[in-house]
């Protein structure tokens, strides 16, 4: 695929990944394993064949919908043993968490416990300062709030982040750090995709329910849908249950650059914006339920499929994010979904609005928070839906 096409789709999906250095010959390539109910695209199997390679060590993929279904996995469970990747393994879903948070807020809005047009400060007066007094809950969800990213005092390089991987960040401290800074723009006038709006939204969920954010997501979404392999880890840095190891290209202890196992890493910096752990089977079930109106019902579901009429702060392009989801035209159709990245893991859920074709993947990327989209993830999206319009 030409570089310009990579750049177009990577920009559209935002959560990018760059390829790392080539893997050493000691890491054997595992064959791709696939089970096909009905053929969707032969390209999907080709995309994940040959893992591990420079950009990824494993991939788990599910395509579904009325147009056909396909499941495949490739790569290794870990680079030490070279055992095949477990297709049922759990992984870090990153910003896919935002879809669950948005759905929880919208359920509470349907119960009239949250008003999307009410200000965040009215729910959290002790936490949101006057300079952000007009920011509404809807603006938190669609990234038009103008609140900048917090300063987490961690560092700028992956090596510095790795050294602080067990740091615990309270959501209140994260919000105070962000709201102590000047606003990026007048609320409601531009869009800037950041985590901070969802951290505040998680705290509003706790304030109006008198319960933890985690228990509310479990009670409202995980348990009703039977998502038994999905959970919110809180302060735990390790993954519970079977998982395929995630690796990150970085400087090693001996001064060389290589792959380090980053599977164990705290996620409190993301919390309600990015700490979910799940499986492709669970995320596929969630995606089907969401798009058919079983998670958020009635007019409030349209909040998730309505883009604000503003421009992106950085690119100047029309806004691409709604409440929880994003949209891009691929292969002549609107594709809605969400990507996510945590060190060692890239994830996505996607679907056409009518549910004709759904896609869920987890790619064990070697630079999951890089500036460019992971090549394997990019090619999966193109194989499932087509090139960007």
């Amino acid at each position: 695929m030409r570089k310009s096409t990579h750049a177009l789709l990577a920009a559209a999906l935002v959560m990018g990944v760059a390829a790392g250095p080539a893997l050493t010959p000691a890491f054997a390539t595992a064959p791709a394993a696939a089970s096909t109910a009905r053929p969707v695209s032969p390209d999907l199997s080709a995309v994940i064949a040959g893992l591990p390679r420079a950009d990824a060590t494993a991939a788990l993929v599910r395509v579904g919908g009325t147009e056909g279904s396909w499941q495949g996995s490739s790569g290794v469970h870990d680079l030490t043993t070279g055992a095949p990747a477990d297709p049922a393994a759990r992984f870090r879903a990153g910003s896919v968490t935002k879809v669950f948070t948005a759905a929880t807020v919208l359920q509470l809005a349907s119960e009239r416990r949250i008003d999307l047009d009410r200000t965040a400060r009215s729910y959290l007066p002790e936490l949101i300062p006057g300079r952000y007094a007009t920011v509404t809950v809807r603006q938190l969800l669609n990234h038009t709030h103008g609140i900048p990213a917090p300063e987490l005092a961690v560092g700028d390089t992956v090596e510095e982040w790795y050294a602080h991987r067990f740091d615990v960040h309270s959501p209140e401290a994260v919000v105070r750090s962000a709201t102590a800074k000047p606003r990026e723009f007048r609320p409601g006038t531009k869009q800037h995709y950041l985590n901070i709006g969802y951290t505040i939204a998680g705290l509003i969920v706790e304030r109006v329910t008198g319960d933890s954010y985690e228990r509310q997501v479990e009670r409202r979404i995980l348990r009703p849908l039977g998502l038994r392999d999905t959970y919110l880890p809180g302060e735990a840095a390790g993954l519970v249950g079977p998982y395929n190891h995630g690796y990150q290209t970085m400087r090693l202890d001996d001064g060389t650059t290589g792959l380090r196992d980053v599977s164990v890493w705290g996620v409190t910096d993301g919390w309600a914006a990015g700490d979910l752990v799940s499986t492709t089977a669970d995320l596929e079930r969630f995606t089907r339920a969401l798009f058919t109106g079983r998670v958020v019902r009635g007019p409030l579901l349209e909040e998730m499929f309505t883009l604000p009429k503003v421009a992106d702060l950085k690119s100047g392009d029309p806004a691409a994010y709604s409440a929880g989801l994003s949209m891009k035209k691929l292969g002549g159709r609107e594709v809605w979904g969400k990507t996510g990245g945590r060190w060692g893991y890239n994830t996505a859920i996607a679907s056409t609005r009518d549910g004709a074709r759904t896609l869920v993947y987890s790619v064990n990327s070697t630079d999951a928070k890089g500036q460019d989209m992971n090549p394997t993830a990019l090619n999966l999206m193109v194989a499932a839906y087509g090139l960007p319009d």
Side-chain angles (χ1 to χ4, degrees), residues 34-364:
S35 61
T36 305
R38 272 197 290 158
V40 173
S41 169
D43 295 338
L44 286 161
S45 184
V47 167
I48 63 173
L51 296 178
R53 53 179 176 249
D55 69 298
T57 60
L60 314 177
V61 187
R62 283 177 174 256
V63 175
T66 57
E67 295 179 350
S69 58
W70 183 88
Q71 298 172 30
S73 64
S74 181
V76 294
H77 169 267
D78 66 274
L79 293 175
T80 302
T81 68
D86 178 359
R90 292 173 175 174
F91 49 81
R92 301 192 187 280
S95 285
V96 172
T97 309
K98 292 182 176 70
V99 191
F100 287 73
T101 302
T104 299
V105 171
L106 292 173
Q107 283 191 13
L108 288 164
S110 73
E111 298 164 10
R112 301 191 177 185
R113 300 171 74 180
I114 289 179
D115 183 341
L116 299 182
D117 293 316
R118 189 173 162 187
T119 66
R121 193 180 190 209
S122 69
Y123 292 103
L124 303 168
E126 78 290 355
L127 196 58
I128 308 298
R131 66 167 62 92
Y132 295 107
T134 64
V135 172
T136 66
V137 175
R138 179 179 283 106
Q139 290 165 351
L140 295 176
L141 297 182
N142 66 21
H143 305 281
T144 61
H145 47 73
I147 303 172
E151 298 295 335
L152 297 179
V154 172
D156 298 320
T157 68
V158 62
E159 291 82 10
E160 290 172 315
W161 275 86
Y162 181 76
H164 289 271
R165 66 193 181 280
F166 299 131
D167 288 2
V168 175
H169 306 274
S170 76
E172 292 85 358
V174 169
V175 173
R176 290 190 186 97
S177 171
T179 57
K181 297 157 70 173
R183 67 188 190 186
E184 293 187 319
F185 51 83
R186 185 163 56 87
T189 62
K190 295 184 184 300
Q191 185 173 79
H192 187 192
Y193 177 84
L194 290 171
N195 283 347
I196 187 62
Y198 280 74
T199 302
I200 298 172
L203 289 171
I204 291 174
V205 168
E206 294 195 332
R207 179 59 55 88
V208 301
T209 63
D211 195 8
S212 73
Y213 160 78
E214 291 84 358
R215 280 192 295 269
Q216 283 294 304
V217 173
E218 181 181 3
R219 184 176 75 81
R220 293 171 174 277
I221 300 174
L222 306 188
R223 207 178 303 153
L225 295 182
L227 306 184
R228 295 179 180 83
D229 292 315
T230 301
Y231 71 96
L232 297 157
E235 296 183 5
L239 288 161
V240 176
Y243 63 91
N244 298 317
H245 290 238
Y247 297 87
Q248 167 68 33
T249 301
M250 67 172 73
R251 189 178 64 254
L252 304 178
D253 295 338
D254 61 3
T256 64
T257 297
L259 295 178
R260 188 187 292 275
D261 191 327
V262 292
S263 308
V264 179
W265 195 310
V267 290
T268 56
D269 60 300
W271 193 51
D275 69 350
L276 192 80
V277 174
S278 193
T279 64
T280 55
D282 272 9
L283 290 182
E284 184 179 58
R285 186 179 300 125
F286 170 73
T287 302
R288 286 199 306 264
L290 181 71
F291 278 67
T292 55
R294 291 169 48 210
V295 180
V296 179
R297 296 175 173 82
L300 283 166
L301 179 59
E302 291 308 308
E303 292 285 339
M304 305 189 82
F305 298 100
T306 302
L307 300 176
K309 292 179 170 58
V310 298
D312 181 83
L313 176 65
K314 293 186 175 180
S315 69
D317 295 334
Y321 292 93
S322 62
L325 300 175
S326 64
M327 189 279 287
K328 179 61 182 177
K329 290 186 177 180
L330 303 174
R333 297 188 289 186
E334 286 189 356
V335 176
W336 292 83
K338 189 71 192 74
T339 57
R342 292 295 306 186
W343 305 109
Y345 301 89
N346 277 135
T347 303
I349 64 171
S351 180
T352 53
R353 183 68 177 87
D354 60 2
R357 177 161 296 182
T358 64
L359 169 68
V360 174
Y361 67 68
S362 170
V363 174
N364 292 55

